[in-house]
Amino acid sequence: MKSVADKLGMFLSGLCAIQCAMLPILLSVSAVVPSWAHLGHGWIWMSLIGAIALWSFGRGWKRHHDKKVLLFFILGYSSLVTATLLEDKVDIIIESALFVLGGTLMVVAHWRNYRRMQCLTTN
């Protein structure tokens, strides 16, 4: 179980970043997507990504105390939450950039946490 959380976190955060980078293209066909399909979408992602991050980084912090992992997590998750909060208030390009930045920083945080946990288990 020691690396499942980080692998799942890297996958979901990366998927989120890719999806949000493609959002402008997807919105061009949004006339065929019903409006209810967008309801709560961002908060579902934030809840899932946040829960996995807390599971993963909480376990990692107890072992390695790497402040960069927490910094990348805080910056990444803050960017994702900010993008979700500003979803209807900013241009789609800014929103997408915030989501991509946040997803990328979350992947970096999970990768660093994963590597630090590997170093501790091999020593």
Side-chain angles (χ1 to χ4, degrees):
M1 282 298 275
K2 66 182 168 193
S3 65
V4 171
D6 284 313
K7 288 178 183 178
L8 187 59
M10 282 185 273
F11 173 75
L12 289 175
S13 297
L15 184 64
C16 178
I18 291 167
Q19 177 205 7
C20 293
M22 296 184 64
L23 189 61
I25 297 165
L26 296 175
L27 285 177
S28 67
V29 296
S30 66
V32 297
V33 178
S35 60
W36 60 264
H38 299 283
L39 182 65
H41 171 265
W43 292 114
I44 292 169
W45 271 112
M46 294 309 99
S47 299
L48 185 60
I49 289 170
I52 291 169
L54 289 174
W55 171 34
S56 173
F57 300 142
R59 287 179 41 254
W61 179 258
K62 288 178 188 176
R63 300 209 44 214
H64 58 64
H65 297 285
D66 186 347
K67 291 179 183 173
K68 287 186 180 181
V69 170
L70 289 182
L71 177 65
F72 290 134
F73 161 64
I74 290 167
L75 292 174
Y77 198 69
S78 296
S79 179
L80 292 173
V81 169
T82 300
T84 303
L85 287 170
L86 297 178
E87 197 170 28
D88 298 331
K89 297 171 183 67
V90 296
D91 186 64
I92 190 69
I93 301 300
I94 293 170
E95 177 191 348
S96 294
L98 285 169
F99 276 123
V100 170
L101 174 66
T104 302
L105 287 170
M106 291 295 289
V107 169
V108 170
H110 279 291
W111 177 253
R112 186 170 178 93
N113 191 59
Y114 176 76
R115 297 295 295 170
R116 296 288 290 156
M117 291 294 284
Q118 272 190 332
C119 289
L120 290 172
T121 57
T122 58
N123 289 334

